[in-house]
């Protein structure tokens, strides 16, 4: 959660693995909203949960999963950042074309 002194995220979105009082306390100390689902055995669970923000996390996870289907990206075969970002853009274009053109 420590991204640097100048970075202040509005919300910290994580999965249930980060459900601890310490991680929530660190996020509140930074002035961030915590969007972490509670585990079933957590005591004093609040009734509200920002589901809309958490759905955004799921979309990002799905997009990263689709990108990792391309072997060059998953294995990070490209040595320079420029080449790697070019292949990520190319893979994203293929994914976009495939999602738009369903025949």
């Amino acid at each position: 959660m420590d991204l640097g002194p100048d970075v202040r995220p509005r919300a910290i979105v994580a999965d249930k693995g980060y459900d601890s009082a310490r991680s929530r306390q660190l996020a509140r100390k930074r002035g961030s909203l915590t969007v972490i689902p509670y585990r079933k055995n957590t005591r004093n669970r609040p009734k509200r949960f920002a589901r809309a923000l958490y759905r955004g996390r799921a979309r990002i996870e799905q997009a990263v999963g689709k990108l990792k289907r391309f072997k060059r990206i998953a294995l990070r075969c490209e040595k320079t950042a420029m080449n790697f970002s070019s292949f990520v853009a190319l893979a994203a274009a293929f994914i976009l074309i495939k999602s738009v053109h369903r025949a």
Side-chain angles (χ1 to χ4, degrees), residues 1 14-28 34 36-39 41-43:
M1 288 188 214
D15 60 355
K16 289 182 183 180
Y18 293 94
D19 177 29
S20 68
R22 185 171 186 268
S23 63
R24 291 179 191 279
Q25 184 181 25
L26 286 172
R28 285 188 198 110
T34 56
I36 303 171
Y38 290 89
R39 293 182 185 161
N41 61 354
T42 303
R43 295 179 187 172

Side-chain angles (χ1 to χ4, degrees), residues 19-86:
D19 177 29
S20 68
R22 185 171 186 268
S23 63
R24 291 179 191 279
Q25 184 181 25
L26 286 172
R28 285 188 198 110
K29 191 184 287 186
R30 293 183 67 86
S32 300
L33 171 71
T34 56
V35 184
I36 303 171
Y38 290 89
R39 293 182 185 161
K40 291 180 182 179
N41 61 354
T42 303
R43 295 179 187 172
N44 301 326
R45 286 194 291 174
K47 294 179 182 176
R48 293 186 183 184
F49 178 69
R51 291 181 188 225
L53 287 175
Y54 195 71
R55 284 187 195 126
R57 178 192 173 275
R59 294 291 182 197
I60 292 169
E61 290 282 336
Q62 291 166 2
V64 170
K66 286 181 182 179
L67 280 173
K68 284 188 174 182
R69 290 180 190 163
F70 292 86
K71 193 172 184 178
R72 280 186 100 112
I73 295 171
L75 297 177
R76 183 112 182 154
C77 294
E78 304 305 316
K79 301 213 184 271
T80 63
M82 188 172 121
N83 286 350
F84 182 74
S85 63
S86 299

